[in-house]
Amino acid sequence: MTCQFYTFQSAFLGGDYWCDAENKRVNDDIYYRYCRNYSYDECPVYKKYANSGSGCYLTTIVCKVLGHEDQHPVLNTMRNFRDQVLQQQEEYYPILNDYDHIGPIIAMKIDHDPQKQILSKLYYDYYLIPVTKCIEQNDYTLAVQIYTHMTQSLICRYHLQEIYHHMKENGIKESFCPKTAGHGLIKK
């Protein structure tokens, strides 16, 4: 798997070796040394950006971009749902696992998106508010469906399908702990 910040872009857009974290073309040496050859954790750019932010794209949308407090009712409802429902029922473990692994990448992509304000408002209104209402009405099935659609939409927007597919192929690791899952783990 290549670096989470690497995106293929056509020569029309400035070259095919592109770093989303720095929003610029990467020279051939850096690309072959870090981006392509599974050594991205040694890359100075990766080190700089991989550990920035919360790793939680819901917090990125609600707090970092839209400016709400961390104890915002939408986030509190989502956190309670995670703790009281998702972490308690094995059928939801894949959702928690996905969030821990793809969530930090999505959070970083949102944070660096030039349209993050519009995007965050749209996702807040169109996804997060409806998910919260479903949770409050104990319609957990619909809440999960809406949340999953939101996540898939963000995966597509940021061209993360390859990373997501690779993650899904690997499944849930033995180290997965449901009691601590669903926070958006940041790779160290």
Side-chain angles (χ1 to χ4, degrees):
M1 184 167 70
T2 61
C3 175
Q4 68 192 34
F5 302 130
Y6 170 74
T7 303
F8 178 81
Q9 293 199 3
S10 70
F12 177 74
L13 296 173
D16 55 349
Y17 309 141
W18 194 264
C19 178
D20 286 335
E22 300 252 300
N23 198 29
K24 67 180 184 180
R25 186 182 189 287
V26 175
N27 69 43
D28 292 351
D29 179 54
I30 297 294
Y31 172 74
Y32 286 106
R33 187 182 321 162
Y34 301 118
C35 307
R36 180 172 171 243
N37 292 325
Y38 308 101
S39 301
Y40 54 87
D41 56 339
E42 298 171 12
C43 174
V45 173
Y46 179 85
K47 288 179 180 178
K48 176 180 175 184
Y49 290 99
N51 294 321
S52 66
S54 72
C56 174
Y57 74 83
L58 301 177
T59 302
T60 299
I61 289 171
V62 175
C63 300
K64 192 165 188 180
V65 178
L66 296 179
H68 297 292
E69 294 296 319
D70 188 57
Q71 296 302 315
H72 188 276
V74 166
L75 290 177
N76 287 338
T77 299
M78 297 290 282
R79 289 173 181 140
N80 287 334
F81 181 60
R82 177 198 62 211
D83 297 346
Q84 302 302 316
V85 177
L86 300 180
Q87 290 178 345
Q88 306 304 317
Q89 297 179 31
E90 192 171 342
E91 68 185 283
Y92 297 123
Y93 291 0
I95 293 168
L96 298 171
N97 187 64
D98 290 356
Y99 193 79
D100 282 345
H101 293 90
I102 202 77
I105 301 169
I106 293 172
M108 183 278 305
K109 297 283 189 179
I110 291 169
D111 195 35
H112 292 90
D113 190 323
Q115 297 177 326
K116 66 184 170 188
Q117 196 70 39
I118 294 167
L119 174 89
S120 294
K121 179 70 174 134
L122 179 83
Y123 275 76
Y124 180 85
D125 292 340
Y126 189 72
Y127 290 109
L128 294 177
I129 294 297
V131 166
T132 302
K133 287 181 181 176
C134 289
I135 292 167
E136 290 168 350
Q137 296 168 356
N138 295 323
D139 189 348
Y140 301 153
T141 301
L142 185 56
V144 168
Q145 288 173 350
I146 296 168
Y147 166 80
T148 301
H149 187 266
M150 174 181 65
T151 303
Q152 290 301 317
S153 172
L154 289 163
I155 288 168
C156 289
R157 175 179 176 80
Y158 296 120
H159 310 287
L160 301 172
Q161 296 91 332
E162 182 182 333
I163 292 170
Y164 183 72
H165 179 72
H166 179 75
M167 182 190 75
K168 294 303 272 185
E169 281 180 343
N170 289 334
I172 296 177
K173 305 242 186 277
E174 286 183 33
S175 61
F176 176 81
C177 176
K179 290 182 172 132
T180 59
H183 294 269
L185 300 173
I186 298 177
K187 288 191 212 174
K188 302 282 182 184

